[in-house]
Amino acid sequence: RELTVTAASVRAQGSVGVDPDVLMARDQTRDGLLQKLAAAVENKDKTLVEMSRLFILEGRFRGGGNFNLEEARAELEASFANEAEIVFTTVSSSGRKLFSRLSHGFDMVVIDEAAQASEVAVLPPLSLGAARCVLVGDPQQLPATVISKAAGTLLYSRSLFERFQQAGCPTMLLSVQYRMHPHIRDFPSRYFYQGRLTDSESVSNLPDEIYYKDPLLRPYVFFDVTYGRESHRGGSVSYQNTQEAQFCVRLYEHLQKTLKSLGVGKVSVGIITPYKLQLKCLQREFKDILNSDEGKDIYINTVDAFQGQERDVIIMSCVRASSHGVGFVSDIRRMNVALTRAKRALWVMGNANALMQSEDWAALINDAKARNCYLDMDSLPKDFIPESSTYGTFSSKNSSARGLRSGPRYNRSHDSHFESRSRSGTPSEDDEKSNLSTLPRNGSYRILRQGAETSLNGFDQP
């Protein structure tokens, strides 16, 4: 009513010869009334929605016993989803009946971690009828988990992201990283992403941690644990290295002691390893710590389970320590995941001579040495090394010749002794039982025979 009266008054008075201040006041009055009208309409709509929700629940209190709780729950859920401008869900949950109850569709679907989802997995969100779809992911990291080797043979683990990329669709690299300290970012950027990663201001402007002054606690260190021994347990095809697990404990305790002496607050710590058996070994060694208050800030898991996560400090145990190859540790995508989880410090421990059997790990170790980020046992305090330990060494014919390559990686040789959780597109622990191992990679399938080196070409960069 007020808006109608004001409009009629304006039309009656006209605007010729009227003071500009009066005109401005009229406009402000009109705008204020329009805002009140819009708010009233919105409140009316909200009231109607609330009344419809109450009507859904009304049957619960009516006689007759016809009320269906699950149906009412579904209708209420759809009612709230209809009001939302953004709906967050997993790819599998996007296929629920809830989305068929919505009164409107979506303008855009954004699928995060798209390179880790199979093509079939992303069909539910694609069926929602959105005009645009944005795929966000990193094909340089681990692909979809596929249990069946036959399905892996048929490229079931290939993501829609990879298919589009192989078909020539342009991709945009999100080159600014917001996680890793520059010293941690350096090798992954050059080795996996052609040196294209740059640091955000939030990362580059961060002051160095005070504990970096300790030579063992610098942002990036490779510890050459030469006295470690890899072993099986029971009938498992997985591996453990008790000495590396114990070294992890000593390094963690050294960090905590240093933090307390410097008066620094708590930091989150992740302990990662490629092997399930080593995971159990680490959990045993860290048992007392995990059961204490300190244990709230520490997380132990496999590299695969850690994809997508981050911690202030990451300690990685590589496990392998023999001249019989390094198995699935050599997988380039698993390596990438492991090296890019840390925010402030990354400490990798492994037997350098053993790891140098892998061309990619040889590049990392040679790079660590060149950057003065490599520590052997002679560089460590005596209390870090058990007195009974003897250094285990062996020669690797090709290790000294392997080095760091920048830019895309091609013709990578892979040890065919593969171990890990079952994951098509990456080697699995169960594959070690077989004489034939399969390694589909970005749409390229190869049969790898034990004892033979096989080259895999064309691993696309993002």
Side-chain angles (χ1 to χ4, degrees), residues 88-366:
F88 294 87
T89 181
T90 61
V91 289
S92 57
S93 293
S94 64
R96 293 172 54 204
K97 289 184 179 179
L98 160 67
F99 292 93
S100 65
R101 294 174 178 267
L102 300 183
S103 60
H104 58 78
F106 294 92
D107 299 315
M108 179 186 295
V109 169
V110 180
I111 303 177
D112 193 19
E113 293 290 357
Q116 202 179 359
S118 67
E119 291 180 286
V120 173
V122 300
L123 290 180
L126 293 180
S127 68
L128 297 177
R132 295 184 64 193
C133 177
V134 178
L135 302 178
V136 183
D138 187 353
Q140 291 290 75
Q141 298 193 2
L142 293 168
T145 300
V146 177
I147 304 300
S148 168
K149 290 185 175 65
T153 301
L154 298 173
L155 305 181
Y156 183 81
S157 67
R158 180 173 58 182
S159 66
L160 188 64
F161 189 110
E162 290 175 293
R163 179 187 284 272
F164 283 160
Q165 194 175 42
Q166 291 167 5
C169 293
T171 58
M172 178 184 297
L173 176 67
L174 304 180
S175 59
V176 180
Q177 66 92 16
Y178 296 83
R179 174 185 297 158
M180 298 172 282
H181 184 284
H183 289 188
I184 303 172
R185 180 263 309 148
D186 185 78
F187 178 83
S189 175
R190 285 183 287 122
Y191 204 70
F192 305 126
Y193 303 104
Q194 306 91 45
R196 293 156 64 191
L197 295 187
T198 58
D199 304 320
S200 67
E201 290 186 8
S202 61
V203 169
S204 58
N205 293 338
L206 272 178
D208 281 348
E209 305 294 339
I210 191 170
Y211 57 80
Y212 289 166
K213 296 178 180 178
D214 187 316
L216 302 183
L217 306 179
R218 288 174 290 169
Y220 173 55
V221 182
F222 180 91
F223 294 92
D224 187 3
V225 186
T226 52
Y227 64 87
R229 291 290 182 271
E230 67 179 51
S231 63
H232 294 288
R233 190 178 184 186
S236 173
V237 298
S238 187
Y239 286 89
Q240 68 176 12
N241 189 319
T242 304
Q243 292 77 23
E244 279 192 15
Q246 292 169 349
F247 190 93
C248 287
V249 174
R250 285 191 285 274
L251 187 59
Y252 173 81
E253 290 176 339
H254 180 67
L255 169 65
Q256 295 303 319
K257 182 179 178 180
T258 302
L259 293 176
K260 290 178 181 177
S261 67
L262 296 173
V264 179
K266 295 180 179 180
V267 298
S268 60
V269 179
I271 314 291
I272 61 175
T273 181
Y275 292 94
K276 290 180 181 177
L277 192 59
Q278 182 70 350
L279 168 61
K280 294 178 181 178
C281 182
L282 286 164
Q283 290 170 335
R284 288 195 304 271
E285 296 295 334
F286 277 88
K287 181 179 179 180
D288 292 340
I289 297 173
L290 291 172
N291 291 331
S292 67
D293 290 338
E294 282 186 10
K296 298 176 183 178
D297 299 309
I298 186 172
Y299 181 74
I300 305 175
N301 216 323
T302 61
V303 174
D304 295 50
F306 221 89
Q307 178 158 320
Q309 299 190 53
E310 64 182 24
R311 291 295 186 276
D312 294 326
V313 174
I314 291 292
I315 302 174
M316 180 186 181
S317 169
C318 295
V319 181
R320 301 309 293 267
S322 76
S323 59
H324 305 303
V326 297
F328 86 126
V329 175
S330 65
D331 184 86
I332 193 74
R333 290 175 287 188
R334 184 170 285 106
M335 180 183 183
N336 187 10
V337 171
L339 298 178
T340 54
R341 300 304 97 200
K343 295 165 62 178
R344 304 303 294 155
L346 170 63
W347 304 323
V348 181
M349 54 200 61
N351 186 306
N353 281 339
L355 293 174
M356 293 277 276
Q357 295 172 97
S358 161
E359 183 178 0
D360 300 315
W361 279 97
L364 180 140
I365 292 166
N366 288 332

Side-chain angles (χ1 to χ4, degrees), residues 407-423:
R409 301 279 292 113
Y410 298 104
N411 297 321
R412 293 194 185 92
S413 298
H414 284 260
D415 189 311
S416 58
H417 297 271
F418 293 142
E419 321 84 2
S420 176
R421 77 180 189 181
S422 296
R423 180 190 277 276

